[in-house]
């Protein structure tokens, strides 16, 4: 039977079983190697209010939150998108475009504060 993907949409590297994680949106239990992992900085205060407070000099706390999405939700919310059949066969890792200060500034990398 032909397979759609070589790894069947999973990252199960000879481990046999992976722990399950809960989808952030629909609370479905998904194997951790199949789920889409996204880390975002979140604040308990909403965006516009937090910006106003920061302008006034207040410290707004932030924390790094790890979210897992099931494949259905990740596609629905635009986190990942399905690729064409030929593109799925490409084995090279996906390249992320360079953004931020590194591309825009002409300061050598060793002088930048990361
Ligand atoms: Zn979901």
């Amino acid at each position: 039977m032909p397979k759609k993907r070589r790894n069947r949409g999973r990252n199960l590297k000879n481990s046999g079983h992976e722990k399950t994680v809960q989808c952030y949106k629909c609370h479905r239990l998904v194997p951790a190697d199949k789920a889409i992992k996204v880390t975002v900085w979140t604040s308990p205060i909403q965006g516009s209010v937090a910006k106003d407070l920061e302008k006034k000099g207040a410290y707004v706390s932030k924390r790094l939150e790890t979210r897992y999405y099931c494949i259905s939700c990740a596609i629905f919310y635009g986190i990942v998108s399905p690729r064409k059949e030929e593109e799925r066969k490409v084995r090279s890792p996906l390249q992320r475009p360079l953004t931020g200060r590194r591309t825009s500034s002409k300061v050598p990398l060793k002088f930048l504060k990361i």
Side-chain angles (χ1 to χ4, degrees), residues 23-28 30 68-74:
C23 175
Y24 181 75
K25 290 287 180 182
C26 69
H27 308 293
R28 181 185 292 166
V30 198
Y68 292 94
Y69 291 90
C70 69
I71 295 298
S72 313
C73 291

Side-chain angles (χ1 to χ4, degrees), residues 24 38-43 62-68:
Y24 181 75
V38 178
T39 53
V40 287
W41 285 101
T42 56
S43 174
K62 291 174 188 169
R63 65 188 179 93
L64 198 60
E65 188 177 295
T66 304
R67 296 173 181 171
Y68 292 94

Side-chain angles (χ1 to χ4, degrees), residues 13-83:
K13 300 285 184 188
N14 208 17
S15 69
H17 183 75
E18 276 284 321
K19 66 179 172 76
T20 54
V21 291
Q22 206 166 21
C23 175
Y24 181 75
K25 290 287 180 182
C26 69
H27 308 293
R28 181 185 292 166
L29 288 175
V30 198
D33 62 307
K34 191 174 188 177
I36 307 298
K37 184 180 175 183
V38 178
T39 53
V40 287
W41 285 101
T42 56
S43 174
I45 303 166
Q46 286 184 345
S48 60
V49 179
K51 280 182 185 174
D52 291 342
L53 286 172
E54 280 182 345
K55 278 181 185 173
K56 290 175 183 173
Y59 173 74
V60 178
S61 68
K62 291 174 188 169
R63 65 188 179 93
L64 198 60
E65 188 177 295
T66 304
R67 296 173 181 171
Y68 292 94
Y69 291 90
C70 69
I71 295 298
S72 313
C73 291
I75 291 173
F76 183 78
Y77 289 101
I79 298 162
V80 293
S81 56
R83 290 179 290 167

Side-chain angles (χ1 to χ4, degrees), residues 82-101:
R83 290 179 290 167
K84 288 182 181 174
E85 193 172 349
E86 302 85 45
E87 293 174 31
R88 271 185 252 142
K89 307 291 181 225
V90 177
R91 300 296 297 168
S92 63
L94 294 172
Q95 299 296 316
R96 186 175 289 176
L98 286 173
T99 56
R101 298 190 320 190

